[in-house]
Amino acid sequence: MVLIGYTMMAEQAGPRELVSHVVGAERAGFDFSVISDHSFPWLESQGHASYAWSVLGAAAQATSRIPLMTYVTCPTFRYHPAVVAQKAATVQILSEGRFRLGLGSGENLNEHIVGAAWPAAHVRLDMLEEAVDIIRRMFTGEYVSHHGAHFDVENARLWDLPDAPPPIGIAVSGTRSCAVAGRQGDLVIATEPRRELLERFDAHGGAGKPKVGQLPVCHDTDRAAAVARAHDQFRWALGGWKVNAELPGPDGFEQAARHTRPEDVAEAIPCGDDVDAFVDAVRPYAEAGFTEVALVQIGGAHQEPFLEWAEAKLLPALREL
């Protein structure tokens, strides 16, 4: 059975609301949760970008069962990998072992704020792989010094260690990232139901490991309202990651998506309250080999009705996949 997760999308709701939403997701019966880690929203209409790690600390205390996960954190620009290791270890303790550390090579949208030049994709992946090595060494509790191609660590140590380190997930979108994930990851993360990504991950050491996907949805009893909201806040998602990783701010995404029509969004994102349409959108992930799928309900003010509907109708239908 594919596990169904809930996404705390930090670009569309404030920090207190995000915690309330994940409490509701636990109550509704979602199998796990994830949170985005942004310094900017994709579009100004989303309107939020709180600090994911503070939200995670609060969520760890406000919930008791639902697993938590970053989806995803970039450990190479805004955050030094040694600091990411400390944050992840702390959340793992606070959540009593319910945390997984999802990592990726980042988007210019979020990482540009520190003023570093945005390098080519292959350089970002080299940085990610070095960062994961540092984080894993930090998780041992030993003193770590490291002088590598991209990072320096001097006599660092984690003084508060969880009983077990958080599993590390690696986000993939192409051949080289799959190789990094297979070598370095305890699980793989992807946002498209592409079987070839999972096959490449398996070929590089990922066989038998969890495979976590993500799917935007827009529930509303008024389908036209759902389509309009999805177009207003999520039309950027149709651009693909070769574009989405490169643009530096919401204005760029406004321009990149200016020709995207509501009907284009409705074709890509299930909208309304037809359970079968939502199940049909999840099915390609299951068929591709994903073991988990995190749903993103579009619209920060529309989470409670979605959670009620999911508990009553959607989750029981998805359990049959």
Side-chain angles (χ1 to χ4, degrees), residues 1 11 33 39 47 54 60 67 70 88 94 103 105 114 125 140 156-157 167 202 237 240 258 270 281 284 300-301:
M1 184 176 70
E11 303 93 290
S33 67
S39 61
S54 295
T70 49
L94 289 171
L103 300 176
S105 58
V114 297
L125 284 170
T140 67
R157 180 185 173 188
D202 286 349
R258 67 188 182 279

Side-chain angles (χ1 to χ4, degrees), residues 21 50 83-84 123-124 129 142 157 181 205:
H21 297 161
S50 57
V83 177
V84 172
V123 176
R124 303 198 302 265
E129 190 154 20
E142 302 295 325
R157 180 185 173 188

Side-chain angles (χ1 to χ4, degrees), residues 52-62 68 91 94:
W53 291 89
S54 295
V55 175
L56 281 166
Q61 297 301 287
L68 307 167
V91 173
L94 289 171

